[in-house]
Amino acid sequence: MSSNDNDNDRYSGNGYGEMVSSKKECTSCEQNNVDSITESIDSVAVLDSTTLSMCAACGKKGNSDDMNTCNKCKMVKYCNAACKKKHRSKHKKACERREAELHEEALFKEVEPEECPICLLTLPLDTDKSQFQTCCGKIICHGCIHAMLMSDGKDLLCAFCRMTNIKTDQDDINRLKELMNKGNANAFNYFGNWYDDGEMGLPLDHQKACELYLKAGELGSVEGYCNLGCAYRDGRGLARDVNKAKYYLELAAMLGDIRARHNLGGIEAGAGNVDRAMKHWMIAAKAGSERSLKNIKLGFRDGFIAKDGYESTLRAYHERQDEMKSDERDTAKEKRGMLLANLRSIRRGM
Ligand SMILES: [Zn+2]
Ligand SMILES: [Zn+2]
Ligand SMILES: [Zn+2]
Ligand SMILES: [Zn+2]
């Protein structure tokens, strides 16, 4: 305690007497004036981190907001484009390393799942258990569609926007085109699906499908990028290209597409990168993918995954499955034949 007493004496001796007594005393070191000391430290930090930065090329200080940031690594700032250009060769290596790190961080981040806009439960991962509505452009779970069918059996209305469902393929196509004109990303993806399968009276055209998937992805449809990635992987509608497949599947996975992530695991495993494959399958399994969980079980059996990781994945998988469950969805599954027959009869005007 004696050294602390000395500190107090020193402050008093330097003319802090009155001020110090009104200031807070730190309970652990009994140092006075704690507030003003931390305040000044804070203000210096704020000045440095948010307003002033140093040019990585010439060292001149400037206002951060006005400076030219490296748009690849976001790590360094320059006074202007000339300084940026001058520094390029020196900065290249560090920049690429940081850019790769940022990519890895984004790639292996878990993303919040998409919800059904009516019941607000996570949408089923199985695309066969939800439906894209060409009236309002929403993706609705079969549970909500079935509930609507039960309350309004005669003339099925859209469970979201209450518009009467379409009677013919051509009506459906016209509605989808209207959505595409409004820039609805999912509409481009579904139009691509129809060409890919030669559905709705459209010709089978994989190339056209891929063009639509790309447009869908660019507008924000994760399924569009996933479908394009799979097309590159399989050489369907364009030349087979594993690097491009990986590129588009990664874009989709980063935006939360679980099917894309499961497929990415397959590409990584095929290239001998088992650790990366397991990382993808673990995230996908945690998000509820049954196929990825199967691979994780094999990975655990073969010693690629530790017990802790395996158990936490299994737990998260079951939690997510519970999150996706509801009485309405169970009934829709039970009455699936009836539901599909109704959806079909309306589509075909029977
Ligand atoms: Zn500079
Ligand atoms: Zn950079
Ligand atoms: Zn729903
Ligand atoms: Zn609707």
Side-chain angles (χ1 to χ4, degrees), residues 103 184 281:
H103 176 77
N184 182 298
W281 287 330

Side-chain angles (χ1 to χ4, degrees), residues 70-76 78 91-92 94-96 98:
C70 174
N71 41 20
K72 284 187 177 165
C73 66
K74 319 253 184 290
M75 196 169 53
V76 290
Y78 301 100
H91 173 57
K92 200 171 171 238
C95 184
E96 282 172 356
R98 182 65 191 139

Side-chain angles (χ1 to χ4, degrees), residues 116 118-119 140-141 144 329:
C116 167
I118 299 170
C119 60
I140 298 173
C141 79
C144 290
R329 287 183 182 182

Side-chain angles (χ1 to χ4, degrees), residues 110-115 122-123 125 256 258 287 320 323-324:
E110 290 167 33
V111 180
E112 281 298 306
E114 219 183 310
E115 296 170 341
T122 300
L123 275 174
L125 290 184
I258 303 305
R320 186 51 65 81
E323 261 173 53
M324 289 190 281

